[in-house]
Amino acid sequence: MTRTFAHLTRRGFLGGLAASGAAAALGWTPLASAQQGEQPLMKPIPATGERVPAIGMGTWITFNVGELASLRAQRAEIVAELFARGGRIIDSSPMYGTAETVVGYCLDQLDEPDDLFAATKVWTRMADRGAAQMAESRRLWGVETFDLMQIHNLVDWQTHLPRLLDDKAQGRLRYIGITTSHGRRHEELMSIMRNEPIDFVQLTYNILDREPEKDILPLARERGIAVIANRPFRQKQLIARFENAPLPEWASEIDCANWPQFLLKFIVSHPDVTCTIPATTRVDHMREDTEAMYGRQPDQAMREQMVRHVERL
């Protein structure tokens, strides 16, 4: 059954669920940890100390659904689930086809949740084109101020960074970031981290892609830079690789019920990772992903055990 959230604020949505038992009527399974009053894992942005949920949502591929009403409605359900489960970070880019348009549609259906942490990117060359692209992103999302504006895959970053610094000073954005993915251009990324006044980096980090642990994550800690981990599942590759293997019995010690939670808890338990942004096309998968913010998190010894286990599979 398709659920509709038009003209409903997040506060009203959650309050209505709690007050009327609508969760059951809509087929929702209440989050056990939320019922018990447990708070999601929140991690600080070093530049300000602001704390954000450790699990956000990416939109690469998954939100590039064009004008098809049924798919847009489903994405609105996914966004509603993100907020209902304690998440608030949504990450997108002009590179992602119609994703920003669809994100804007979803936020409009939720009456633009006021605790949204809106993160997108500039992905073009030349300063004027970048300014126009960022203005279009504000229009598509329906937000006046982005929480985080990132230079996508370091494209023409020397040109865009002065504009972003000015926009930050003028209140058009709150934080500045640089992104890369697939383990590429790490040396250039680290040079920017050492020499430029950025607040965030976004890069690929997961249980098998651990190269950032050597240099980038320690540098982020030294420089006071927040880290967003992208490709936590290598676009489903890790799920497909492990899903037919049983979870180890000791996964219960860190409150993992499935492989997505196992993989996400490995990422967000790293002390220098601020959040990760899994993408999904399914509400139940969003529920699984956000559940990784709750319960016990692995310590360093457990993280090492997790790595040894998956490397044997």
Side-chain angles (χ1 to χ4, degrees), residues 60 96 150 152-154 178-186 189 201-214 216-217 227-235 237-238 266-267 273 275-277:
W60 167 234
Y96 300 166
Q150 304 156 98
H152 196 148
N153 284 338
L154 286 73
I178 301 281
T179 83
T180 185
S181 60
H182 299 77
R184 298 171 183 159
R185 301 180 73 178
H186 281 183
L189 179 66
V201 293
Q202 183 181 141
L203 48 82
T204 296
Y205 177 66
N206 56 58
I207 201 165
L208 293 187
D209 296 306
R210 303 190 306 276
E211 181 185 350
E213 293 178 351
K214 301 175 184 176
I216 295 179
L217 296 182
V227 176
I228 297 176
N230 60 35
R231 303 185 76 239
F233 303 138
R234 285 187 182 174
Q235 278 183 262
Q237 291 179 24
L238 297 185
F266 175 82
I267 296 170
V273 171
C275 73
T276 188
I277 47 172

Side-chain angles (χ1 to χ4, degrees), residues 12-30:
F13 174 70
L14 297 178
L17 288 181
S20 67
L26 294 175
W28 285 46
T29 302

Side-chain angles (χ1 to χ4, degrees), residues 255-277:
D255 299 312
C256 284
N258 50 57
W259 277 108
Q261 291 167 14
F262 185 98
L263 297 171
L264 292 173
K265 285 201 173 198
F266 175 82
I267 296 170
V268 300
S269 63
H270 193 291
D272 300 323
V273 171
T274 308
C275 73
T276 188
I277 47 172

